[in-house]
Structure formats: C-alpha cells, structure tokens
Amino acid sequence: HIGSQEVDRKVDSVCPFCGVGCLLTYNVKDEVIVSVDGRDGPANHDRLCVKGRFGFDYAHHPQRLTKPLIRKAGVPKDADAIGDPADWSSVFREATWEEALELAGGKLRQLRDTHGHKTLAGFGSAKGSNEEAYLFQKLVRTGFGSNNVDHCTRLCHASSVAALLEGVGSGAVSNQVGDVENAGLILVIGSNPTANHPVAATWMKNAAKRGTKIVLADPRVTDIGRYAWRTLQFRPDTDVALLNAMIHTVIDEGLVDADFLTRRASNYEALKANVQGYSAEAMAPICGIPAETIREVAREFATSKGSMILWGMGVSQHVHGTDNARCLIALVSVTGQIGKPGSGLHPLRGQNNVQGASDAGLIPMMLPNYQRVDDPGVHAWFENFWETPLDDKPGYTVVEIMHKALAPDSDPHKIRGMYIMGENPAMSDPDLNHARHALASLDHLVVQDIFMTETAWYADVVLPASAWPEKTGTVTNTDRMIQMGRRALNPPGDAKPDLWIIQQIAARMGLPWNYQGPECGVAEVYEEMRQAMSAVIEGVTWERIEREQSVTYPCLSEDDPGQPTVFIDAFATNDGRVKLVPADIIPADERPDTEYPFVLITGRQLEHWHTGSMTRRASVLDAIEPIATASMNGGDLRKLGLDAGDVITVKSRRGEVALTVRRDDGTPTGAVFIPFAYYEAAANLLTNAALDPFGKIPEFKYCAVDVRPGGTP
Ligand code: SF4
C-alpha cells in the first residue's frame, strides 16, 4: 500500500460504478492509480463501498484495448463467436485510427445511404459522461437520421420512468436518499441496497438506528432486512396485489389525505373503484403476507411523519413493471406522502450515469430532458437548434432493435448496422442466444469499449476507448446531483477519449461538428446540452460544477441552490396534479410448471458490477467473488439432495448454465437467484425477453427454470 501522502498527484473525481455518486480522490503514482479515498460529497460524506474503494485497477489491466481492431477478412461471425479476451488475434488485426474510423463510419454511412435512415441504430452508455451521452444521441438523430438510440435504462428503470412521467411528469426522484433521515418510515421495495447502492444503504441503516421504521418488501430477504421493522417477503410477481391491498387499507380505514387528493391529484375515484376488490384479506393468500401485517404496514405508512419509497429492479423488471410503479405513485398520493421532506418517490438509479444519460436524450422516444420526439413544438425546436431535419417517430428500444436485426431483408426497418459505445448487450440483454444471434447477423457493427467485451466479438471494427479515470466529464447521480469526473491518467497505448471517437464517427457520417476546447471540447458540449435542457439545468454552468463539485437540479439560475425536494407546490404534469392510474394483476409472462418448476430471479451482487467487464478485472473484487454462484434456500437444497458448494445446472426454455450453488435462506422457496456478471455462466442465457408494454423493459426478475444437480461450470 502506498500512503496517500507519497503519491505524485491526487485527482478529485466521482465513483464510476453505481448511481449513488460517491465523490472520491484518485491517488496516482508513476501513472498508476495506487489507492482511492472518499471525499466529502453530498451523497457519501467520505464513505465508499468496496467497489469504489478497491475496484480501480481494472483501468491498468493487461487486457485493455490499446489499438483499433478490424475483423480479419474471411473470419465469419456466428452466435458462438465469443473467445478469450486476452487473445483476439485469430479474429481481429490491429489497424491505424484512420483506417478503423474510415471503415467504421464509412460503412455506417453507406448503409444509411443505401437502405435508408431506419437501418442503423446506436446503443450509448450509462457508464459514460453526460456529454458523451448527449453527443451520441445527437449523432444518431442527426447523422444516422432516426431515433433508434437507446441504452441500458431500457433494462433497468424504463418502466419506472414511464409511470413517473405519466403520473408526476418527471422521471427523476422526488426526494434524495439522504432525506431518509427525515422520514418516519422507509419502504424499500424490490431493492437490495446493501449490494447495489451500498453507501445509500448506510444512510438507511443510520436512520433505522435513530428510530425510522424500515419496511423491506421483497421476495428475497436481503441484508437490509436486518434493520427492518417489518419484512414483507411477498411471493415473486405479486407486487400489484400487495400494493393495491395497502392502498385499499388506507382508503378502507379512512386514512387518506383528503385535502391532498382534492387539491393535488386527479383520477382518484377511478383508483378507489379499482382497488375495491383488493382488500388485504383477499390479497393475503395471493402475495403470501398476512392481512393484518399488510394493514399494519399501510397504517404506519399513512400516518408516519414522512414515508419514503425507495425501489429498484425488483419493481421495474417485470411485464407489469409500469403497473408496479403506478401503484407506488398511488400509495404516496393517497397518503399525501410526497412533496415534503422525508417522503416521496426514489427509484434508485443503477449505473453511475443512467440518470444523466436518460436526461440527455439517450432514449428512443425522448429528446434531451424527456421532450417527446413526436411533439411538433419540440421537434421544431430541435430541428432549429441542431440545424438539421429530424425524424419525428419514436425509435426502437434495446430489445426491439435486436428483433429488428433479425427481420427479413424486405423489412425497410431492418437494422443492418450498429454503433455500440460502452454497452455489452451480448451479456446484458435477455435471452442471450437470440441477442447474440442478432448481433452476429448485422452487416456492420462498430464497438467502442475498453476491453474485448462479449459484444466486441461480433464487431467489424473495435475502437479502444478510455476508462473513467482517463477523461473529464459530468455525471448525474440518482439524487439529481450533477458532478464532475476528472482525468487522472492518460489512456493506454492508442486508446482515445470517447468524446473524440464520437466526433470522428460524426465527421465520417458527414456532420459538420466543431467542438473546441480542452478534453475534446467537453465544456462546449456541456454548454450545448445545457441550452437543450434549460428547463431544468439553466443554472448549472460548467464553471459552477467545477467550483461546487455537485449541483442538484432543477436549478434555474446561477444563484439557485437547486431543489433537493420537488413537487412541494405542484407536480410537473400539464395540470400540476399527480395522475393516479389504476393497475390490475397481470401475471408474469412465463410461470413455473412441471417441466420448469423454479422461478429464476436475476440481479447483482456487492462486489461485481453488471456484466463484470470492469469489476472482474479489479483484483480485490475478483479475489473476493471469483466464481459464478447461484443462491437457493436450505429447504430447496435439501429437497434436491444438494449441499452448498455443489454444482447445479439451471435450465430454461432458452438456454442452460452450470454453476456453484450457495445457501441463502433469504431466497424464497421455489426460486433461484443468479447474478448476471459472469460470462462463464451468463444468467441472461436463461431469461425471458417478454416486455412491459409501456416501458419496454424485459422481465429479468421472473422466468421458469429447472434446477438439476451436477454439470460442468
Ligand atoms: Fe461507488 Fe456506489 Fe460504492 Fe459509492 S456506493 S463507492 S458510488 S459503487
């Protein structure tokens, strides 16, 4: 260990992993990050979790891509193309930047000009900066000529955002995580914050120690349950039943906030009529929670000094994910638990910049700041702002793009070429055999990344990009705080900043961009984005972020401190009222049966991040969690004649994986939990691509599988 006093330089930045947005300092010696310290940021106050503190040496990993690569002539693409990331030489050859960019951009341009604007698509990244996200979506919209641009928000909170935009008029959180200290009750639903938002979880635990009541509602009982006042381990897929029963109880027991509903809500009578059939007594056998417990929790939620809901993928990743979130909006509304400190709605955003990338317009139906592409006024404003004609039809989403890549040649919307920056759909998409087949079928695929990811094996051109500590840019955390990451290192070899690469591709698509200034013109790009999003970040100048480290939006002038709590007087909807939307039970797309009797739940774990491309190359994290595991409870292990540490094979209708099983009695009976970070046992080989109809998010949290002892991991 090299003490922080002995380093060559210290560079202030922000953690590249989760949406909590912990501020940190990189300690650099001899051009190597040797340690990381937490800083006193508003989201972390010096704290870091194991990923932020120890997960930094991926940037120095020998498998970093350092040269542009071009697929060798005659090497076919097939769905099983994934090889050893340390040895790509049988498939790719090194190239100069000029040659690689000419091929990458030139072929995209040729496909567009030959087959039309709908033939290309781009996946940007929630791991990059706001400026990269903004420029990437601008490239797709103005250069590719369509709205076929998306990113991993589609796989995480798209359904939450759909419900929030519909209900409260804004897709971001109403209250910040730190506000839990003002809450009387915290409802944590469909979230494992200790693993996925670890520093945020510490604020929840601190609040619990001071008397705040935590209610954990989740089919899996996770670590935060140790601090819970009540734990509602409801049956997987019964969220709407449970939440409607809570709303019914609030109405039935006369606990509604009538004044709030009169002044600030619409459609209450329809909601009230809809929950008539959802009494706690009727729903108890469905969700597996005693009626009296449902009523007790609903009462406490309604009457506490402030009740706040924090939720994660357990709510959103269902075919009824939007309905789940609608129920959460309805619950805070009937109880008046929104628009004041210690209350409200907080969808815990996963990636470090999934909030910012979504805000910047990296989604197919929205321009920056969630302005719909098919709104004539918005469309005209952006055509004028970008001085180019724009498509006014929403583009395809992540999973839809994969389907369109496999469309027949006669389909004018068949996706033939893609540009993927910093995303790994060959690991993160549902039903991976289908997704990999789709990637392999593209005429032209450009992948921009720091490692030879699973997705890069399907590429025609691989462009070596920069890791987070190698570039400067802003990110927006789950709390709506815009914060700055600063360059601490130079990229290795010939690797380049992503912002530079996007601009080079744009030039080869014929776009006359000219961003000036240091760090590839990042401040100038930010300033353009600020103009496009002036309704929320007018007061957040580049200089201000540099000076203050963290600025919360909405922030409408340079002396506006930002608004940590929103909807105090009005919601962001057209009429200023929260719109209550009734929801009914919609079953999961694929239920267990005799052939596939278990439920598969996928998710993350503390030490590894998403598809593992960074954390599995971070030596400390990989040492702690080196192998793929599945979790099952002790009762199920006994029934199958298994011990912890045995190998099992988990099989669905779409694929199978073999991996080691561990005992976790928080996993419900009849279910198996698998993290999706492990390429050697990719959980998404098993998952179902069925979509929520509103958010278009796949049902990662529920599909039917069989579990058998044995197999070869
Ligand atoms: Fe990084 Fe999230 Fe951990 Fe903070 S809680 S150090 S942002 S991974």
Side-chain angles (χ1 to χ4, degrees):
H1 178 78
I2 297 177
S4 61
Q5 302 309 312
E6 304 162 46
V7 299
D8 298 332
R9 61 181 180 275
K10 293 165 167 285
V11 180
D12 288 344
S13 188
V14 56
C15 176
F17 291 108
C18 90
V20 175
C22 298
L23 297 190
L24 52 72
T25 299
Y26 290 118
N27 297 312
V28 181
K29 187 169 180 61
D30 298 331
E31 300 308 314
V32 172
I33 298 173
V34 291
S35 60
V36 170
D37 295 320
R39 278 197 291 146
D40 188 13
N44 66 312
H45 299 293
D46 298 320
R47 297 180 182 185
L48 294 175
C49 78
V50 68
K51 288 191 288 288
R53 191 170 298 284
F54 297 112
F56 54 83
D57 58 343
Y58 73 91
H60 302 296
H61 196 278
Q63 290 177 1
R64 281 292 302 274
L65 295 172
T66 59
K67 298 267 189 201
L69 304 177
I70 289 177
R71 179 173 289 273
K72 287 181 172 174
V75 177
K77 299 179 191 176
D78 64 56
D80 299 323
I82 298 168
D84 177 356
D87 182 13
W88 38 257
S89 59
S90 60
V91 178
F92 297 96
R93 65 174 173 84
E94 292 183 349
T96 64
W97 270 105
E98 187 58 28
E99 183 188 13
L101 288 168
E102 284 298 321
L103 178 59
K107 187 72 191 283
L108 288 170
R109 185 174 184 159
Q110 184 207 333
L111 286 170
R112 179 196 66 187
D113 294 347
T114 307
H115 297 285
H117 290 148
K118 303 285 190 183
T119 210
L120 301 179
F123 288 169
S125 178
K127 269 268 153 286
S129 67
N130 286 323
E131 296 75 29
E132 290 161 5
Y134 174 81
L135 220 50
F136 190 92
Q137 60 86 36
K138 182 179 174 184
L139 165 65
V140 172
R141 293 191 154 111
T142 63
F144 293 8
S146 79
N147 292 303
N148 290 339
V149 61
D150 210 353
H151 76 294
C152 70
T153 190
R154 196 65 43 211
L155 309 177
C156 84
H157 263 309
S159 48
S160 305
V161 171
L164 288 166
L165 287 171
E166 169 191 73
V168 300
S170 164
V173 301
S174 72
N175 295 61
Q176 298 178 323
V177 172
D179 206 15
V180 294
E181 71 175 19
N182 299 310
L185 183 146
I186 307 167
L187 173 58
V188 178
I189 180 166
S191 167
N192 177 4
T194 306
N196 300 326
H197 302 85
V199 169
T202 68
W203 306 125
M204 300 176 205
K205 293 170 185 176
N206 285 2
K209 286 177 181 171
R210 287 195 295 268
T212 300
K213 290 176 172 163
I214 292 181
V215 175
L216 172 63
D218 201 305
R220 293 174 65 220
V221 179
T222 57
D223 174 78
I224 198 79
R226 295 191 293 126
Y227 298 81
W229 165 68
R230 294 290 180 270
T231 297
L232 310 181
Q233 189 176 22
F234 63 90
R235 294 201 178 98
D237 192 39
T238 62
D239 320 56
V240 167
L242 173 67
L243 293 167
N244 272 351
M246 289 178 67
I247 296 165
H248 179 277
T249 300
V250 170
I251 296 170
D252 186 48
E253 299 193 8
L255 300 172
V256 294
D257 185 334
D259 178 56
F260 181 95
L261 288 169
T262 303
R263 288 188 302 107
R264 304 199 53 191
S266 63
N267 214 31
Y268 171 60
E269 290 306 321
L271 178 83
K272 183 178 175 182
N274 189 65
V275 298
Q276 280 299 316
Y278 287 91
S279 70
E281 290 69 24
M283 292 303 105
I286 293 173
C287 56
I289 306 295
E292 188 43 44
T293 306
I294 297 173
R295 285 187 176 271
E296 181 190 32
V297 169
R299 259 178 235 132
E300 191 67 28
F301 189 96
T303 57
S304 91
K305 65 173 182 176
S307 293
M308 187 169 172
I309 303 178
L310 299 108
W311 75 93
M313 310 291 91
V315 165
S316 59
Q317 290 175 335
H318 287 282
V319 291
H320 47 79
T322 302
D323 280 341
N324 292 347
R326 285 169 170 157
C327 290
L328 298 178
I329 295 166
L331 181 59
V332 296
S333 300
V334 295
T335 53
Q337 295 285 17
I338 189 164
K340 60 183 183 180
S343 71
L345 298 161
H346 190 117
L348 285 154
R349 307 308 301 253
Q351 292 274 13
N352 62 327
N353 198 35
V354 68
Q355 181 67 57
S358 303
D359 295 348
L362 207 59
I363 38 183
M365 59 292 283
M366 310 282 187
L367 286 148
N369 195 31
Y370 306 96
Q371 302 179 82
R372 285 202 62 92
V373 297
D374 49 8
D375 179 308
V378 168
H379 183 255
W381 190 93
F382 274 95
E383 284 198 331
N384 180 54
F385 186 57
W386 286 335
E387 299 177 340
T388 191
L390 297 172
D391 187 5
D392 62 359
K393 303 281 184 304
Y396 293 115
T397 59
V398 165
V399 175
E400 290 172 336
I401 285 169
M402 291 298 152
H403 290 316
K404 280 293 178 187
L406 292 170
D409 268 350
S410 56
D411 186 337
H413 290 193
K414 178 181 174 65
I415 301 294
R416 299 169 190 272
M418 285 192 72
Y419 177 20
I420 299 178
M421 175 184 76
E423 292 239 322
N424 194 7
M427 278 288 286
S428 59
D429 270 26
D431 189 4
L432 281 183
N433 283 321
H434 175 272
R436 291 173 180 179
H437 185 48
L439 290 167
S441 73
L442 292 168
D443 290 347
H444 186 55
L445 173 61
V446 180
V447 171
Q448 176 176 324
D449 216 308
I450 61 173
F451 293 113
M452 196 70 204
T453 61
E454 289 73 16
T455 301
W457 286 96
Y458 300 97
D460 296 274
V461 185
V462 182
L463 303 174
S466 294
W468 182 243
E470 296 160 3
K471 55 193 178 184
T472 294
T474 65
V475 286
T476 305
N477 75 353
T478 188
D479 285 329
R480 298 182 263 106
M481 296 169 181
I482 304 176
Q483 311 189 114
M484 188 168 288
R486 293 182 180 80
R487 183 162 57 89
L489 305 165
N490 287 322
D494 290 342
K496 295 283 189 188
D498 295 79
L499 213 54
W500 181 86
I501 303 172
I502 298 167
Q503 291 174 56
Q504 294 299 315
I505 296 285
R508 285 156 180 84
M509 297 295 294
L511 295 174
W513 293 356
N514 185 25
Y515 295 101
Q516 300 286 331
E519 307 283 354
C520 309
V522 64
E524 201 170 303
V525 176
Y526 177 82
E527 177 54 30
E528 182 181 312
M529 185 181 79
R530 188 169 74 98
Q531 290 176 34
M533 298 173 57
S534 61
V536 285
I537 64 168
E538 173 78 29
V540 192
T541 61
W542 181 265
E543 293 72 25
R544 191 171 168 189
I545 307 167
E546 280 192 309
R547 190 173 63 244
E548 297 180 19
Q549 307 289 335
S550 179
V551 185
T552 293
Y553 77 79
C555 176
L556 303 183
S557 66
E558 290 197 40
D559 55 4
D560 180 350
Q563 299 172 33
T565 303
V566 294
F567 312 143
I568 292 171
D569 298 315
F571 291 92
T573 50
N574 288 339
D575 62 3
R577 290 169 170 263
V578 54
K579 181 180 179 188
L580 305 179
V581 181
D584 282 313
I585 295 172
I586 296 171
D589 182 71
E590 185 184 60
R591 313 273 308 173
D593 54 24
T594 51
E595 199 179 351
Y596 297 96
F598 285 86
V599 173
L600 172 69
I601 304 171
T602 65
R604 292 166 285 182
Q605 62 187 145
L606 172 62
E607 293 80 3
H608 287 304
W609 187 250
H610 286 221
T611 67
S613 57
M614 293 158 66
T615 54
R616 296 202 68 203
R617 293 177 173 96
S619 51
V620 171
L621 303 177
D622 193 48
I624 300 172
E625 284 287 351
I627 61 165
T629 58
S631 297
M632 298 179 73
N633 78 33
D636 280 339
L637 291 182
R638 270 193 302 282
K639 269 188 239 159
L640 292 169
L642 290 164
D643 289 318
D646 286 350
V647 171
I648 58 171
T649 296
V650 184
K651 183 179 176 189
S652 78
R653 288 183 174 83
R654 294 157 292 280
E656 68 178 58
V657 297
L659 69 179
T660 302
V661 69
R662 70 203 318 170
R663 176 175 171 172
D664 169 23
D665 289 341
T667 302
T669 301
V672 53
F673 173 79
I674 304 181
F676 61 95
Y678 297 85
Y679 62 88
E680 62 274 42
N684 283 321
L685 287 166
L686 309 170
T687 49
N688 183 3
L691 300 180
D692 171 280
F694 305 99
K696 305 285 179 79
I697 192 169
E699 194 158 52
F700 288 117
K701 293 295 184 198
Y702 199 106
C703 73
V705 294
D706 187 24
V707 179
R708 296 266 167 83
T712 307

